[in-house]
Structure formats: C-alpha cells, structure tokens
Amino acid sequence: MKTAPFLLSAALTLLPAAVLAQGKPLIYCADASPEGFDPGLWDSASTNIVGSQMFDGLLGFKRPTTELTPKLATSWEISPDAKSFTFKLRPGVKFHSTPWFKPTRDFNADDVMFTFSRFIDPSHPFNKAFPANFIYPQNLGLAKLIAGIDRVDDMTVRFRLKQPNVTFVANFAFAFAGIHSAEYAAQLLKTGKASQINVQPVGTGPFMFKSYAKDDVLRMTANPDYWGGKQPTPTLVFSISREPNVRVQKIAAGECHVTAALRDVDIASLSGNPNVSIEKIQALNISYLSFNLKKPPTDRREVREALDIAIDRDAIFKALFPRGDAMQAVSAFPPAIPGYNKKLKNEFDPAKAKALLAKAGYPNGFEIDLWALPVQRPTNPNGQLMAQLIQQDWAKIGVKASIKTYEWGEYLKRANNGEHNVYMSGWSGETGDADDFLTPNLSCATSKGGIKFCNAEFDKLIDDARATPDAAKRHAMYEKAQEIFKRERPWITMAHSTVYIPIRKDVVGFKMAPNGSVDFEGVYRK
C-alpha cells in the first residue's frame, strides 16, 4: 500500500473582539463524576469528556465527522508497509501554567515519548513510582504492537510497529492519547508525588484544571496560552447531575447550557422550550450485557446463548425507547460500519433457552447476579428498568437474577476485577471502522485472567484485518469474526441509538461528534 503523506494544517478561527469581550461562563450538566484526570488511565465516556477539554492529542477528529485532523502534530506520514508512522510536531505549543507547575519550555518530542512510553514499558520509572492500569492502551495491545518509538529530533517522532496496522493512526486522536508534560512528570518524580498526575492535571488543551469537588462540581478556566487561540469562554463548569430529570430541569431553567445526552423520554419535555435546541446525530454506538467468561455458570457457551435468546428485546425496546429512535443490536458494531455481517440475527426462543440450560447441566436453572448500569446512556437510558425486564424474562426459564448496582466508578472497578456474572456496558466508536469496536473490547488483550472474551481464531482474524490494506478482504475477515462472536456469545447485544444533546439557544459553536462526546473549544454564549 502506498500512502501519501498527510500534510495538513489547522486554520485557526479568529473570533470577533466583541465575542471575546463578553466572556460568559459556560455550564455543562454532566451525568457522572470523572474517575480521574490522567487520560491514559480511563476509558469511560464521562471521564474522556473531561480529559478532552484539558488535553490535546497529536491528532483529533473533525466534528461532526470521523475525519482525522491535526492537533499537536501538524502533519503525519505513513510508510507504504503501514509499519512506520512519523509525526511532525506543532511548534510554539505551551503547557498549562498552574499553581503546581510552571513550564520552562514548549511542547516537544520528549512529551510524546513520555506519554507513550508509559503505555508500553512497565519498567518506566514513572510506572514504578505510580503503578497504573492503562485500560485502553492495554486493550489495544499497544505494548505488543509497538516495536519502538524514535525521537527523530525535537519536533519529530516516529512510531515503529511489529506488524502492519492500517488503523493505527486513529489511536492518536483518542482521548487516552492526550499528551502529558515530561517536565511536569520529572518534577513529580523528584518530589515523590507521581500519583498527582491523576489529581492535578497539566495538558496543552483549551481549558485548565482549577478545582474539583467529587460528585458535585468541576471548574476549569480558559488556557491563556492555547495554541488554537484565545477561548471566548473564560470559565467552564461541569455540574455533576446524575439524575437525568434533574439535568432536564436545569437546562430548562438555564442553570446549565449544555447537558449530557438525553433519554428518549426526556425529548418531549424539552422540545417545546423556546430557549433550548436539541442537537441530534446518528451515533456509532452499542449497549450490551457482558458475561464473565471465567465464573460459572456464564463460563458455559450454552448458558450464555440461553440467557441471550430468553430476552424479549421487542418488549424492552417498547419500554426503553418509546420514540423508536433506537435499533436492536445484533452484532458487535452498528450496521452502518463497513464489514457488518448482515446474515446474523437475534432470536427470542424461551423453549430453546430451557433446552440449552438442560444441556449445560442446569435443568432447574440457577441463581445469578445481574448488574444494572448506574448511569444513563442513549443506548441504555434506564439500567434498572432494563435489568427488571430481563429479570422477568430469565425467571421464565428458571433463572433467578439478583439485580445489583454500584456508584459508577466502583461499578467499573468491580467489573474490571471480574466480580460480576453479567454487567451492562456500552461503547462508542469514533473512526467508523470495525476495529474501533472489536480490538478494544473483544481481543485477547482485553481479557485479564479470562474474564472477558478471548478466542484465538477471532483474534487472528482481527489481527490480520488490521494488517490488510485491501478493504474487501478486511471486510470479509470482519464478517467471519462476527460469526464467531455470535456463536460464542460473550455479549448480549442490545441497542444502537441516536444521540440527542440539548443546548441553550444562546450557545454558539457547539458541534456533536459521532460518539456523542462534547468539546467546548471555541464554544461560547452570546
């Protein structure tokens, strides 16, 4: 494959002086607290949204598309064999100057080297001082994929891969790849405070961390030295409001100006409000229930299939998506993505489910924990209700489900440790590529201790697909991989949804993304 260099530059938008003079604060009603402020440590949407205001990656996505655009890199070049990726870095970029850190130099290759070396080198001095689980880089298998990172010069970095990967460049636009200051990290190491990197963040993004009260409010201020130009919003506030009806009331009253995505049932109550508009995008997303493949009885394939086909999805969709704006998920990613296997189908067959349980050695059923999602998502607007409906369906085949839930951060931590039998989860893609769903969620790299899916045949297919420039051949591999996924049933696939985000009509410059995330660079209130 011959790949021409991408020689792109970001044109900076000059804002009118009148706009800059207004300087009204902007309040976002978030649906959950951030788990921390080190982008590499987390992969939940709520935390990523916070990090993306304060950190830039080498690349970004041009909203509202999946097109890659330059950020801290001004250009990038991919070698013909898709094994070498070279980035020219943006000159003159300054890190945040804060009460806890005063930078003495501009952004350069050292910062890229530090950020990515943490992901791939367990013996890195910073990792020894602050042991961390980098969820997304681990799930992508970056340590096994990257052969080396070269500091070509102050403003050039090259990533060398062990095998071709035609999707690799998109990783540099993901939230986990926000660039840290190597100088700040050295300061933390020297003072024995390495863990502060997750508490007192320093990035290059449009906004800087000011203060945080857990489960209440996060305050950020505009970065006066931002390379993308002065921000028209001087103060960005995340008001953490877990209850969706509270967020609806707040935006209706003007107490916040943008909120986390709405549920279906909330749209009607805001649609007549003359001060609120509702932004809409057909998102690249999925909700699902993930099985623990290590713990009985969900370690048995027949049990997983039985629990899947015992669920009446039609009834669940009538209750959870009354507007009809969601689509039942059949595979691991939406049908709009190339490589989707159209032959796959969902089943609803309680009699067959009972027979499968008997075959697996459970003719009288069993007891099981079912974890309900504690936050509202467009693809799962009411985790408790979904759990109750599934509980009723499973009872009909002799399975007694005990519904559990936890605070969001605790929920994620416990699920990652494998304490569940079945837990609700979801995913949003950004690139429009099947690999963006399959590798971070279903590759063997994601399966710590056998909790999640790990299938050698499936893994080889998605590995080979990433190394295959020929689109038709890649898509055929993805179709075969989905057949394995559907046969093995690591997930109960639930929904793909449209995403709605309400904004006050005095908000200017807000654009949605295909993953439903929010970005406040250049956004202001008139």
Side-chain angles (χ1 to χ4, degrees):
M1 178 183 75
K2 180 135 175 126
T3 308
F6 291 86
L7 298 173
L8 303 172
S9 61
L12 304 181
T13 303
L14 295 176
L15 294 157
V19 168
L20 297 176
Q22 289 171 3
K24 294 179 180 178
L26 188 66
I27 302 173
Y28 171 68
C29 274
D31 60 354
S33 297
E35 299 154 90
F37 301 102
D38 178 352
L41 295 184
W42 315 107
D43 72 341
S44 75
S46 305
T47 303
N48 288 346
I49 287 172
V50 169
S52 64
Q53 316 309 320
M54 297 185 283
F55 288 86
D56 291 317
L58 296 181
L59 307 179
F61 291 106
K62 185 178 180 181
R63 291 169 181 263
T65 72
T66 59
E67 179 187 341
L68 291 170
T69 189
K71 296 286 273 188
L72 295 184
T74 56
S75 66
W76 64 98
E77 186 172 353
I78 306 172
S79 64
D81 64 0
K83 289 175 70 176
S84 177
F85 297 74
T86 304
F87 295 87
K88 290 290 184 182
L89 306 183
R90 186 178 298 279
V93 174
K94 302 191 182 305
F95 280 97
H96 299 161
S97 180
T98 70
W100 52 91
F101 175 66
K102 307 293 181 190
T104 65
R105 62 163 177 81
D106 290 351
F107 158 76
N108 67 26
D110 292 337
D111 306 305
V112 180
M113 297 292 290
F114 167 74
T115 300
F116 284 90
S117 293
R118 286 177 74 202
F119 299 152
I120 66 173
D121 181 9
S123 63
H124 191 283
F126 205 90
N127 286 337
K128 289 187 173 180
F130 178 41
N133 178 27
F134 301 106
I135 298 172
Y136 205 121
Q138 174 189 298
N139 290 354
L140 290 172
L142 287 191
K144 292 181 180 177
L145 176 64
I146 295 175
I149 310 173
D150 304 323
R151 188 191 192 283
V152 179
D153 58 42
D154 273 4
M155 302 307 289
T156 312
V157 177
R158 180 185 300 118
F159 290 78
R160 289 177 287 108
L161 307 187
K162 295 175 184 174
Q163 60 217 35
N165 188 325
V166 295
T167 69
F168 183 71
V169 69
N171 292 319
F172 296 95
F174 292 160
F176 81 84
I179 300 297
H180 281 287
S181 162
E183 186 183 15
Y184 177 47
Q187 173 185 301
L188 292 175
L189 264 184
K190 188 176 179 180
T191 55
K193 297 178 179 177
S195 64
Q196 292 297 105
I197 202 167
N198 188 43
V199 179
Q200 294 181 319
V202 171
T204 63
F207 293 94
M208 306 189 303
F209 180 92
K210 184 179 180 182
S211 65
Y212 174 53
K214 185 173 170 56
D215 297 334
D216 183 15
V217 64
L218 166 66
R219 299 182 188 278
M220 291 172 266
T221 56
N223 175 7
D225 301 315
Y226 185 52
W227 62 267
K230 183 175 179 180
Q231 292 304 298
T233 292
T235 303
L236 178 61
V237 178
F238 276 42
S239 174
I240 296 152
S241 309
R242 291 185 184 175
E243 293 300 321
N245 58 323
V246 172
R247 296 195 298 274
V248 168
Q249 291 165 9
K250 283 188 172 183
I251 197 159
E255 294 175 26
C256 57
H257 310 110
V258 181
T259 84
L262 291 174
R263 303 172 301 176
D264 266 26
V265 295
D266 298 323
I267 294 167
S269 63
L270 284 174
S271 58
N273 190 312
N275 299 312
V276 176
S277 62
I278 298 174
E279 300 290 310
K280 171 183 175 180
I281 197 167
Q282 187 60 51
L284 303 174
N285 60 18
I286 186 170
S287 60
Y288 58 88
L289 282 76
S290 181
F291 289 114
N292 188 328
L293 274 68
K294 189 177 183 182
K295 184 188 290 187
T298 51
D299 59 341
R300 295 291 301 271
R301 194 206 66 78
E302 295 91 348
V303 168
R304 298 193 297 271
E305 183 179 351
L307 293 175
D308 184 352
I309 67 175
I311 293 174
D312 185 350
R313 286 175 171 82
D314 289 346
I316 288 175
F317 269 61
K318 285 176 185 174
L320 265 66
F321 306 103
R323 290 170 53 88
D325 284 346
M327 175 192 305
Q328 291 187 24
V330 177
S331 186
F333 53 84
I337 291 178
Y340 182 83
N341 191 324
K342 297 177 183 176
K343 296 176 185 175
L344 302 181
K345 298 282 185 281
N346 286 330
E347 287 182 81
F348 173 49
D349 191 338
K352 181 180 174 183
K354 291 185 81 168
L356 282 166
L357 290 185
K359 181 182 176 184
Y362 298 99
N364 300 315
F366 48 77
E367 295 184 3
I368 195 170
D369 287 342
L370 170 59
W371 290 17
L373 194 72
V375 293
Q376 290 75 32
R377 294 284 187 256
T379 53
N380 186 349
N382 191 329
Q384 276 290 339
L385 178 56
M386 182 185 284
Q388 288 163 4
L389 294 171
I390 291 172
Q391 182 186 49
Q392 291 171 16
D393 287 338
W394 285 354
K396 294 171 186 173
I397 61 166
V399 173
K400 184 179 179 182
S402 174
I403 298 172
K404 292 185 174 182
T405 195
Y406 303 93
E407 179 272 329
W408 181 226
E410 187 72 10
Y411 181 93
L412 293 171
K413 184 173 76 175
R414 286 174 178 264
N416 194 47
N417 289 337
E419 296 180 25
H420 62 288
N421 279 123
V422 189
Y423 83 103
M424 294 179 187
S425 190
W427 190 254
S428 293
E430 297 199 59
T431 66
D433 193 289
D435 189 71
D436 190 17
F437 284 80
L438 302 181
T439 295
N441 296 301
L442 293 160
S443 65
C444 287
T446 70
S447 183
K448 187 174 70 174
I451 295 166
K452 293 186 179 181
F453 185 58
C454 178
N455 178 284
E457 187 185 1
F458 180 94
D459 241 42
K460 186 176 189 309
L461 282 166
I462 62 173
D463 284 349
D464 289 349
R466 281 197 303 277
T468 303
D470 186 301
K473 290 180 179 177
R474 284 189 79 213
H475 298 161
M477 292 175 189
Y478 287 139
E479 288 188 21
K480 191 172 180 183
Q482 289 165 82
E483 290 172 4
I484 297 168
F485 165 82
K486 199 66 175 176
R487 181 189 74 217
E488 297 300 323
R489 310 282 172 125
W491 296 353
I492 296 174
T493 54
M494 291 306 299
H496 309 298
S497 76
T498 301
V499 173
Y500 299 91
I501 292 182
I503 65 171
R504 297 285 297 184
K505 288 188 176 175
D506 63 346
V507 173
V508 177
F510 181 83
K511 292 179 182 177
M512 288 186 71
N515 70 343
S517 65
V518 298
D519 180 357
F520 292 110
E521 180 183 350
V523 179
Y524 63 95
R525 292 167 56 212
K526 62 186 178 183

